[in-house]
Amino acid sequence: MTQYLVEARGVSKSFDGVPALVNGEITLAPGEVLALCGGNGAGKSTFLNILMGLLQRDEGTVRIHGREVNFRSPADALAESIAIITQELSPVPDMTAAENIFLGREPRRGGGLVDHAAMLRNARQLLAELHFDVDAARKMAQLSLAQTQLVEIARAISRNARILIMDEPTSAIGEHETQILFDAIRRLTASGVGVIYVSHRLEELFEIANRYTIFRDGRYITSGNMTEIDRRHLVELIIGHEMPTRSEAAGAKADDAPILLDVEHLSHRQQFHDISLRLRAGEITGIYGLMGSGRSEFLNAVYGIGARNEGVVRLCGTVLPPQRPDRAIAAGMAMVTEDRKDTGLNLEASIRHNISMPVLGSLARFGMIARGREKVLSAGMIKRLSVRASGDGLKVAALSGGNQQKVVVARCLASQPKVLICDEPTRGIDEGAKQEIYQLLRDFAAGGGAVLVCSSEAPELLQLCGSIAIFKKGRLKRFVRAAQSDQRTLLHEASLSLSLEEGEENVHEQ
Amino acid sequence: MSMNSESLRKPGNPALSQFGATARNILQNQGILIVFVLLCVVLTLSSEFFLTWNNWTNIIRQTAINGILAIGVTYVILAGGIDLSVGSVMALCGAVAASFSVTPDHSFIGVALLASLATGFVAGLVNGALTAYLRIPAFVVTLGMLSAARGLTFIYTDGRPISNLSQPFLWFGNGAVLGIPVPIVALAVVFAVCWFVLRYTVFGRHVYAVGGNERAAITNGVRTRRVTALTYIVSGVLASLAGVILTARSTAALPQAGIAYELDAIAAVVIGGTSLSGGKGTLIGTVFGALIIGTINNGLDLLGISSYYQQVVKGLIIVGAVLLDVGRRR
């Protein structure tokens, strides 16, 4: 019988008498990738915090390498060769990759001098062994998000971690980078490392994980092999009830519906070229492309928070000037930006103040805000989107990711837009909240609006959209009908590897 | 979405957490009060003059100038900027106002005020335009203005005090409304108006939005550059008002007036709990911050401590007050 790397049973934790986790249980064998699934509030974060020594359990046992442990701090966990890689990366941007990998454990020579040559050599060797395409001498600030992620992993490996916890490692990286990450995971597990993998992107779990463990509402639910479950059943286990069936009508094209958004020949320098598309009332159109395909830059330019130097954007016939989001909002456009913390929300402000932000002008008379009307608006939105919070005076920073995203959507809908632009509308939120946001977008379109949605998750677009525009190297390659397409086709069409395409074409000729 | 915050947000009693938030709020606002009360107790025990009507009118009158400056600086800092130029701008505006008020052939008092306010407005506009539209760091822009406005003051006054000011002008320093000294009335009016603007108007909300997350504010259609520029204008205009009061109180415009006043103003803002990174803070905090600084100055004078030591003590109290604040927020 193989010894488990991690064996935890009956782990419970309460905060002020409120149970956050009851009977938490997982087992992780060497060489295994375990998908830890559950929505926000499922208790998986509490569980992982206990595993990492950030919290102390009230009850239960945790065995690492067969030995019962009781971590008092993250340092204890590190000493037992557990490392965590979170979605919130913490590199020192002005230091090189090598310096970040060996931060706090710099090789020394002489007195207290750092042996930079040895550090760089060691880092290069490590990165080469892991097949990570990162220049150890470059500053972190110059690396892409995916490369930053790889450096974090290299750091964990350099500490001889045998148990790797990855919390949403792909939330900020694209398909291609994800594959690099997965290759790295496969090499690590082949050498006996165990990985606990947390991701809201279910497709990834099916690709990389061997087993799953599901938590829901602070309780352990079940475990099993990934090969013995399909996507639908996994989702149902996570959200605890049956999935809403896909409404086929959503996003379907009505050729006689009025054109709401008309983009003609939009270009900006090297980012995107000559892109034209139209959205009719009732349509949900997707944009699919890899990182660097210009998809986000295009959406930002349409809305006005990014630059464009050629082309015209019309909203219901009104020409929108470049870089004037205020005019776009006034004309009836709203945007769910890619990164809610960076460009979407004022985390320090209350839910109410965030929701009312784009419509303060219309809520005010002589510059004074009609606070009564503001309250009515925010209360209505919170109810409509079922934002779970104790009150709308609560700081947005205190909300879960899913609820924060709902506040973003609420803020967008507050201005009663006709066209909604969404860049990664479900990034980093749990399956239940995802389904709710899908339904909101469908309702919005069914109510006569139009939605332009960009996502790096192909299944999301296939489920949501009528047609999907495929972006590649800053150009709109072609439109596909979602109903007649699948994930493989999308990825293939958007893929940058020209040699592969040519190779396949050759095969066809034979 | 950090693991910590999620676990701390576990299903709680909403009423309880609401109560917690309120309690925290009170404590946060009281932190500054506690410092203030402690200071007063110590000084009352140390000096019999401290707790007298005359002394208090004196403290508040001295606080008025710094308070008005600090209110302007609060706007700038709340929007994520910094204004180092208020001391110099105040001196320049005071000199401009005085130059229109020299007896016997002084202008109508309104002209002096208008000229002074216009000077403050232009200084703020230059600060704001360079910061918001040309994207030069605020620290650099206002440091430049600190030097330039001081130089202009010396040029304008020819390096000499402007004295022999008219009675209507001197009223701003020594007059009273219903028995309350004009500087105190001015501080009260400025506070009331600025507090209202910050709390109840679209502009006020936008100031917090820009300081809290400028990029999100842009996404939400806020004309962030305009808002930023306006905060510097508010600061410049309030500096001109402070300049008029200071000049009237000194009965002359001195070219070297108000040197290092910007530091007291920023200190008041910070002691008052406003975050230097913007988006968080209140005007009532700033006023208390200014009061604390005024009380320290006054108290150390009463205790007969030499002005050299005073500076050291003031420095310690400023850092200590903020340390207390930082500790409480953890």
Side-chain angles (χ1 to χ4, degrees):
Chain A
M1 187 193 128
T2 52
Q3 191 185 48
Y4 286 122
L5 289 175
V6 183
E7 183 181 8
R9 305 211 185 265
V11 177
S12 299
K13 177 76 187 175
S14 301
F15 295 104
D16 304 322
V18 182
L21 178 66
V22 180
N23 267 329
E25 164 175 341
I26 66 161
T27 57
L28 179 71
E32 184 174 75
V33 178
L34 174 75
L36 183 57
C37 308
N40 291 331
K44 61 182 196 298
S45 293
T46 307
F47 185 81
L48 291 179
N49 280 339
I50 290 170
L51 212 53
M52 283 307 298
L54 284 164
L55 293 171
Q56 271 77 53
R57 63 181 183 270
D58 299 336
E59 285 170 46
T61 57
V62 176
R63 293 173 194 275
I64 305 289
H65 307 302
R67 203 159 52 80
E68 184 161 350
V69 292
N70 199 5
F71 297 145
R72 293 270 151 218
S73 74
D76 289 350
L78 267 175
E80 289 286 348
S81 67
I82 300 180
I84 187 162
I85 293 153
T86 61
Q87 50 185 334
E88 321 235 305
L89 304 171
S90 51
V92 186
D94 282 327
M95 286 173 38
T96 63
E99 285 168 327
N100 268 280
I101 290 172
F102 292 105
L103 193 63
R105 300 169 298 134
E106 295 86 353
R108 286 159 199 271
R109 67 190 160 96
L113 298 176
V114 173
D115 189 345
H116 281 280
M119 185 159 74
L120 193 61
R121 205 166 51 237
N122 293 348
R124 284 202 164 124
Q125 192 187 346
L126 177 69
L127 290 168
E129 277 170 17
L130 293 167
H131 299 263
F132 288 174
D133 182 24
V134 180
D135 181 356
R138 293 194 80 170
K139 294 226 163 95
M140 292 304 283
Q142 297 172 325
L143 300 180
S144 71
L145 261 174
Q147 286 175 316
T148 311
Q149 194 77 256
L150 294 179
V151 170
E152 292 280 318
I153 294 169
R155 174 155 70 182
I157 301 302
S158 74
R159 291 171 179 270
N160 295 319
R162 304 300 296 163
I163 301 158
L164 222 47
I165 300 170
M166 295 191 173
D167 189 9
E168 294 281 349
T170 58
S171 65
I173 65 180
E175 302 267 6
H176 180 65
E177 292 88 343
T178 302
Q179 289 310 320
I180 295 174
L181 179 69
F182 283 179
D183 286 343
I185 292 175
R186 289 189 190 105
R187 267 192 299 279
L188 291 172
T189 49
S191 68
V193 171
V195 178
I196 299 175
Y197 193 92
V198 179
S199 174
H200 292 310
R201 297 186 175 177
L202 298 182
E203 297 311 307
E204 291 179 4
L205 303 183
F206 282 100
E207 191 176 345
I208 194 71
N210 314 106
R211 285 173 55 245
Y212 63 86
T213 288
I214 290 170
F215 283 13
R216 191 199 315 139
D217 300 330
R219 285 171 185 279
Y220 167 82
I221 301 295
T222 184
S223 292
N225 290 324
M226 289 305 291
T227 49
E228 289 158 20
I229 192 166
D230 62 11
R231 182 190 165 93
R232 189 184 180 87
H233 286 100
L234 190 66
V235 170
E236 285 174 5
L237 282 174
I238 293 170
I239 62 180
H241 54 81
E242 284 189 16
M243 233 166 98
T245 49
R246 174 181 169 178
S247 71
E248 292 296 332
K253 198 166 200 155
D255 284 334
D256 54 343
I259 293 169
L260 297 185
L261 178 68
D262 186 2
V263 179
E264 282 177 7
H265 309 298
L266 213 64
S267 299
H268 186 66
R269 299 215 180 100
Q270 302 304 313
Q271 295 177 333
F272 51 88
H273 309 278
D274 195 23
I275 291 174
S276 303
L277 53 81
R278 285 179 169 178
L279 257 72
R280 291 177 186 273
E283 267 188 310
I284 302 181
T285 298
I287 291 182
Y288 184 77
L290 303 178
M291 296 274 283
S293 62
R295 51 181 198 190
S296 292
E297 290 81 358
F298 169 72
L299 289 184
N300 288 344
V302 169
Y303 181 64
I305 54 177
R308 55 178 150 107
N309 54 14
E310 268 174 61
V312 182
V313 177
R314 283 195 197 84
L315 190 77
C316 305
T318 314
V319 175
L320 298 183
Q323 297 198 286
R324 288 293 298 271
D326 56 316
R327 297 277 287 275
I329 292 170
M333 194 185 276
M335 180 165 180
V336 177
T337 50
E338 188 178 8
D339 184 334
R340 58 181 165 265
K341 289 183 181 172
D342 191 34
T343 54
L345 294 168
N346 180 0
L347 294 173
E348 286 301 330
S350 66
I351 299 174
R352 187 196 311 155
H353 288 189
N354 270 285
I355 290 178
S356 66
M357 187 54 64
V359 290
L360 278 182
S362 57
L363 283 176
R365 192 175 291 173
F366 305 118
M368 275 178 284
I369 300 162
R371 286 152 75 93
R373 286 171 61 200
E374 188 188 18
K375 274 184 191 163
V376 170
L377 169 80
S378 102
M381 279 297 165
I382 285 176
K383 197 171 165 214
R384 179 170 163 195
L385 275 79
S386 50
V387 178
R388 279 172 278 278
S390 54
D392 68 353
L394 202 68
K395 261 193 196 177
V396 168
L399 298 178
S400 68
N403 278 314
Q404 285 183 353
Q405 191 68 2
K406 284 185 193 171
V407 173
V408 172
V409 177
R411 181 260 283 162
C412 286
L413 296 180
S415 60
Q416 298 183 323
K418 301 184 193 84
V419 173
L420 194 54
I421 296 180
C422 305
D423 195 355
E424 302 282 0
T426 62
R427 163 172 296 174
I429 65 175
D430 68 76
E431 195 58 39
K434 265 187 197 180
Q435 298 295 343
E436 286 179 71
I437 284 181
Y438 294 157
Q439 197 51 49
L440 274 163
L441 295 183
R442 288 194 194 101
D443 292 347
F444 177 78
V451 182
L452 187 57
V453 55
C454 166
S455 174
S456 48
E457 285 184 84
E460 176 165 295
L461 295 180
L462 292 168
Q463 186 188 346
L464 203 55
C465 304
S467 65
I468 299 169
I470 294 175
F471 272 45
K472 183 170 167 179
K473 288 189 189 166
R475 294 186 183 276
L476 201 171
K477 203 176 162 203
R478 70 188 192 93
F479 281 96
V480 296
R481 306 285 313 154
Q484 292 145 21
S485 192
D486 58 27
Q487 196 176 354
R488 220 183 93 79
T489 317
L490 291 186
L491 187 57
H492 177 70
E493 292 273 358
S495 168
L496 285 170
S497 55
L498 288 167
S499 56
L500 182 76
E501 278 176 32
E502 283 157 14
E504 290 194 9
E505 275 160 18
N506 288 340
V507 172
H508 281 294
E509 279 169 18
Q510 290 169 0
Chain B
M1 276 290 289
S2 85
M3 305 210 328
N4 274 327
S5 61
E6 193 184 321
S7 51
L8 291 175
R9 226 183 310 100
K10 282 287 118 56
N13 182 340
L16 203 71
S17 70
Q18 183 68 45
F19 173 78
T22 313
R24 206 161 41 242
N25 237 334
I26 291 169
L27 202 76
Q28 235 159 47
N29 294 333
Q30 271 184 348
I32 188 86
L33 262 176
I34 292 167
V35 174
F36 184 64
V37 169
L38 269 178
L39 202 64
C40 290
V41 168
V42 170
L43 289 172
T44 308
L45 295 177
S46 320
S47 165
E48 52 186 308
F49 298 110
F50 180 73
L51 208 61
T52 60
W53 175 254
N54 273 345
N55 190 46
W56 269 96
T57 349
N58 203 14
I59 289 176
I60 300 178
R61 196 157 45 190
Q62 281 171 354
T63 298
I65 289 165
N66 186 31
I68 291 172
L69 288 179
I71 286 172
V73 173
T74 306
Y75 268 69
V76 175
I77 292 180
L78 275 178
I82 186 81
D83 191 349
L84 301 172
S85 69
V86 289
S88 299
V89 171
M90 173 176 73
L92 179 61
C93 294
V96 169
S99 69
F100 284 91
S101 309
V102 181
T103 48
D105 44 17
H106 61 88
S107 318
F108 175 59
I109 181 71
V111 177
L113 286 182
L114 220 61
S116 172
L117 289 180
T119 309
F121 182 92
V122 170
L125 184 67
V126 171
N127 278 338
L130 292 177
T131 312
Y133 291 94
L134 296 184
R135 296 267 162 211
I136 306 173
F139 193 95
V140 176
V141 169
T142 59
L143 192 62
M145 180 60 77
L146 168 107
S147 181
R150 180 64 61 188
L152 286 175
T153 312
F154 275 96
I155 294 168
Y156 192 74
T157 59
D158 221 358
R160 288 188 293 266
I162 303 177
S163 47
N164 288 328
L165 305 178
S166 70
Q167 271 314 311
F169 185 84
L170 292 177
W171 178 81
F172 282 95
N174 309 323
V177 179
L178 303 172
I180 304 168
V182 172
I184 298 179
V185 174
L187 175 65
V189 170
V190 166
F191 170 74
V193 171
C194 290
W195 175 82
F196 180 85
V197 167
L198 215 44
R199 194 174 162 82
Y200 291 98
T201 69
V202 175
F203 171 65
R205 194 70 70 72
H206 283 179
V207 168
Y208 280 101
V210 170
N213 184 348
E214 187 174 3
R215 285 159 62 95
I218 293 171
T219 304
N220 284 304
V222 176
R223 311 292 308 274
T224 54
R225 289 189 283 197
R226 188 180 295 175
V227 173
T228 303
L230 273 172
T231 60
Y232 287 95
I233 291 174
V234 169
S235 180
V237 165
L238 290 184
S240 87
L241 184 62
V244 168
I245 294 169
L246 178 71
T247 307
R249 263 174 60 78
S250 349
T251 66
L254 308 173
Q256 72 277 23
I259 286 178
Y261 272 41
E262 58 278 346
L263 298 183
D264 270 359
I266 294 169
V269 177
V270 172
I271 292 176
T274 296
S275 158
L276 274 177
S277 50
K280 253 193 307 190
T282 60
L283 276 190
I284 187 83
T286 295
V287 169
F288 268 105
L291 263 179
I292 284 179
I293 291 176
T295 312
I296 294 169
N297 285 337
N298 172 269
L300 296 178
D301 274 339
L302 287 183
L303 297 179
I305 294 172
S306 100
S307 66
Y308 302 156
Y309 285 97
Q310 282 194 20
Q311 296 191 35
V312 177
V313 172
K314 206 162 85 181
L316 290 177
I317 293 181
I318 289 170
V319 176
V322 175
L323 185 71
L324 200 82
D325 192 55
V326 171
R328 210 179 45 251
R329 272 164 211 269
R330 284 216 178 109

